[in-house]
């Protein structure tokens, strides 16, 4: 059996090696390392894929979130509503800009922002809402956008884990994740469903004025070369990363299909086991399974992780400490937030390997290993 990886990027690369090597060699020969033609080609292709007017590439997903907040002219002290159950970058940029993170609880099934809790958290100082499409499942965006309209508060979608996913509204309208709020943000970190071979990110919007501001902020605040209208940053996608993304983007739907097939196999393998709750799939969300995350009910998570490691099965905990309990947010009153669902989930979740290259032997070994542990440790 091929050694199991959480994400097997080498095997994925080998399938597209001739195209990647040729494209990278062309960049090296042309020496157009910054803003080469492949960057614009990728931008246009991703706009078409997502159905948005503007895609603005940048250096990474964290930069994308920061640029979005800067483009909205958020000021120190403004409140930004976001989940605590997320990768730290979502909340980190809020604090970096001296905004106030307002952590709200998540839906216990989807692990994404609970719209009812969002509305309860709104004050006169609320200036943005940042839903996170965690693990590849969509936040329930219809009520989130209704709240956005009701209170005139912009929505920044953190779509770092769910590119290629989509959400269906009650009237049947389907929109790609990241293309629903005023601004969408994503990451092209190598392990993402659409990943490059280094760092990369992008922002999406249908608002022409916002797009112009985002481009300006991402390029040193320039309106024209050497004319700086606002304080900005230096954040761009380099040409070598763009050529990889140009090759991978047409394969994204195929990659997602492969991930969903792995999830189907896991679902079937763990069906009927009381100690396991498999990932929920809302009918209005097309889950793209950036992670396959179990909830354990009464089983010892750390012992399971150790047992799997001994059987050469990697398993990860995303995320063991929620943002509101991190030391970095102590000065922002993090400990004062009462988030029982978040606290419960962070003590129960464990993610199993899922990627585009998994084969039947690997899957069966993982399923058998989890079952073996539970059988040996059942009460």
């Amino acid at each position: 059996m091929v050694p199991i990886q959480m994400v097997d990027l080498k095997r994925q690369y080998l399938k597209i090696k001739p195209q990647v090597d040729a494209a990278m060699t062309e960049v090296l020969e042309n020496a157009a390392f910054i803003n080469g033609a492949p960057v614009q080609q990728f931008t246009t292709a991703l706009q078409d894929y997502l159905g948005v007017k503007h895609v603005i590439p940048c250096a990474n997903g964290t930069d994308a979130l920061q640029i979005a907040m800067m483009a909205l002219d958020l000021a120190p002290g403004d409140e930004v509503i976001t989940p605590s159950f997320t990768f730290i970058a979502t909340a980190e940029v809020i604090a970096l800009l001296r905004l106030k993170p307002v952590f709200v609880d998540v839906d216990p099934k989807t692990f994404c922002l609970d719209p009812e809790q969002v509305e309860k958290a709104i004050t006169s100082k609320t200036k943005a809402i940042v839903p996170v499409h965690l693990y590849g499942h969509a936040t329930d965006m219809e009520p989130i956008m209704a709240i956005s309209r009701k209170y005139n508060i912009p929505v920044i979608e953190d779509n770092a884990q769910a590119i290629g996913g989509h959400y269906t509204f009650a009237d049947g309208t389907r929109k790609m994740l990241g293309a629903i709020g005023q601004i969408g943000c994503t990451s092209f970190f190598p392990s993402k469903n659409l990943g490059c071979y280094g760092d990369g990110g992008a922002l999406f919007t249908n608002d022409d004025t916002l797009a112009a501001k985002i481009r300006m902020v991402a390029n040193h605040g320039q309106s024209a070369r050497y004319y700086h209208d606002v304080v900005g940053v230096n954040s761009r996608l380099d040409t070598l990363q763009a050529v990889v993304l140009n090759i991978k983007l047409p394969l994204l739907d195929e990659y997602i299909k492969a991930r969903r097939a792995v999830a189907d196999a896991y679902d079937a393998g763990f069906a009927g086991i009381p100690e396991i709750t498999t990932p929920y799939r809302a009918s209005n969300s097309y889950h793209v399974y950036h992670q396959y995350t179990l909830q354990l009910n009464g089983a010892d998570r750390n012992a399971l992780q150790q047992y799997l490691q001994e059987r050469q099965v990697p398993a990860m905990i995303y995320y063991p400490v929620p943002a509101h309990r991190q030391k970095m947010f102590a000065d922002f009153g993090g400990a004062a937030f009462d988030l029982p669902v978040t606290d419960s989930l962070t003590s129960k979740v464990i993610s199993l390997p899922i990627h585009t290259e998994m084969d039947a032997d690997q899957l069966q070994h993982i399923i058998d290993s989890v079952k073996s542990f539970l059988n040996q440790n059942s009460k």
Side-chain angles (χ1 to χ4, degrees):
M1 183 176 66
V2 175
I4 299 170
Q5 311 287 336
M6 284 298 290
V7 180
D8 197 335
L9 295 176
K10 183 173 181 180
R11 290 176 72 193
Q12 186 188 71
Y13 159 67
L14 291 174
K15 287 187 175 180
I16 55 175
K17 185 179 187 300
Q19 303 98 297
V20 170
D21 291 0
M24 284 196 161
T25 298
E26 184 176 351
V27 173
L28 295 172
E29 290 177 347
N30 293 337
F33 302 118
I34 301 297
N35 292 327
V39 177
Q40 185 54 51
Q41 292 166 6
F42 173 66
T43 298
T44 301
L46 189 56
Q47 285 171 180
D48 292 343
Y49 179 83
L50 294 174
V52 294
K53 290 179 69 176
H54 305 279
V55 167
I56 302 96
C58 63
N60 55 68
T62 306
D63 276 9
L65 290 163
Q66 179 179 334
I67 292 165
M69 293 178 198
M70 293 173 71
L72 290 171
D73 295 323
L74 302 189
D78 287 347
E79 295 178 355
V80 178
I81 293 174
T82 192
S84 177
F85 189 34
T86 179
F87 180 60
I88 200 65
T90 313
E92 182 181 34
V93 296
I94 299 172
L96 179 68
L97 295 171
R98 308 309 298 172
L99 311 172
K100 181 181 178 181
V102 176
F103 297 112
V104 304
D105 222 339
V106 295
D107 182 285
K109 291 183 177 180
T110 68
F111 309 153
C112 299
L113 268 185
D114 181 340
E116 290 186 10
Q117 300 301 317
V118 170
E119 187 156 22
K120 289 177 182 177
I122 289 174
T123 72
S124 61
K125 294 183 178 180
T126 306
K127 301 302 179 182
I129 301 168
V130 185
V132 179
H133 305 306
L134 197 69
Y135 301 150
H137 192 288
T139 299
D140 193 3
M141 290 302 293
E142 188 154 15
I144 293 288
M145 295 311 297
I147 292 168
S148 170
R149 292 188 296 271
K150 180 178 178 180
Y151 297 95
N152 193 30
I153 299 171
V155 170
I156 302 169
E157 289 177 78
D158 183 339
N159 196 36
Q161 298 188 14
I163 194 163
H166 51 74
Y167 177 89
T168 304
F169 289 79
D171 65 0
T173 301
R174 194 181 84 179
K175 289 189 177 181
M176 302 298 289
L177 300 182
I180 301 172
Q182 280 73 20
I183 304 176
C185 301
T186 200
S187 165
F188 302 124
F189 188 78
S191 63
K192 302 299 186 187
N193 291 23
L194 179 62
C196 55
Y197 292 163
D199 272 320
L203 300 96
F204 326 126
T205 186
N206 287 305
D207 186 309
D208 295 341
T209 302
L210 260 181
K213 185 69 173 292
I214 290 167
R215 289 189 180 94
M216 192 183 302
V217 171
N219 188 26
H220 298 288
Q222 293 184 108
S223 56
R225 193 170 188 183
Y226 303 128
Y227 290 83
H228 307 269
D229 295 358
V230 298
V231 174
V233 297
N234 175 28
S235 187
R236 56 198 172 207
L237 181 72
D238 69 67
T239 309
L240 285 169
Q241 303 309 326
V243 299
V244 175
L245 293 167
N246 275 327
I247 292 164
K248 284 191 171 186
L249 180 57
L251 301 172
L252 178 56
D253 289 344
E254 179 183 323
Y255 288 164
I256 291 170
K257 184 178 178 180
R259 286 175 173 268
R260 286 172 60 88
V262 171
D264 289 343
Y266 279 143
D267 284 354
F270 298 132
I273 299 177
E275 296 93 341
I276 289 177
T277 300
T278 55
Y280 179 72
R281 307 188 196 195
S283 60
N284 58 359
S285 168
Y286 183 72
H287 203 320
V288 297
Y289 289 100
H290 175 59
Q291 304 293 347
Y292 184 89
T293 303
L294 302 175
Q295 288 187 65
L296 299 180
N297 310 309
D300 186 328
R301 179 176 66 181
N302 291 340
L304 171 60
Q305 188 179 35
Q306 179 62 35
Y307 182 84
L308 292 175
Q309 183 177 345
E310 292 168 358
R311 294 173 67 90
Q312 287 74 55
V313 176
M316 297 293 292
I317 299 170
Y318 306 111
Y319 301 93
V321 182
H324 74 291
R325 297 198 178 277
Q326 298 283 355
K327 289 182 181 179
M328 68 189 295
F329 292 114
D331 291 343
F332 292 87
F337 290 96
D338 182 25
L339 308 175
V341 176
T342 293
D343 286 331
S344 174
L345 288 173
T346 53
S347 69
K348 294 179 178 179
V349 295
I350 186 167
S351 298
L352 300 178
I354 188 166
H355 55 79
T356 57
E357 310 307 312
M358 294 190 74
D359 56 43
D361 289 344
Q362 291 177 320
L363 275 169
Q364 196 59 54
H365 177 66
I366 296 167
I367 293 167
D368 289 346
S369 297
V370 173
K371 287 182 173 180
S372 174
F373 171 83
L374 295 175
N375 288 336
Q376 292 178 30
N377 293 274
S378 59
K379 295 181 180 179

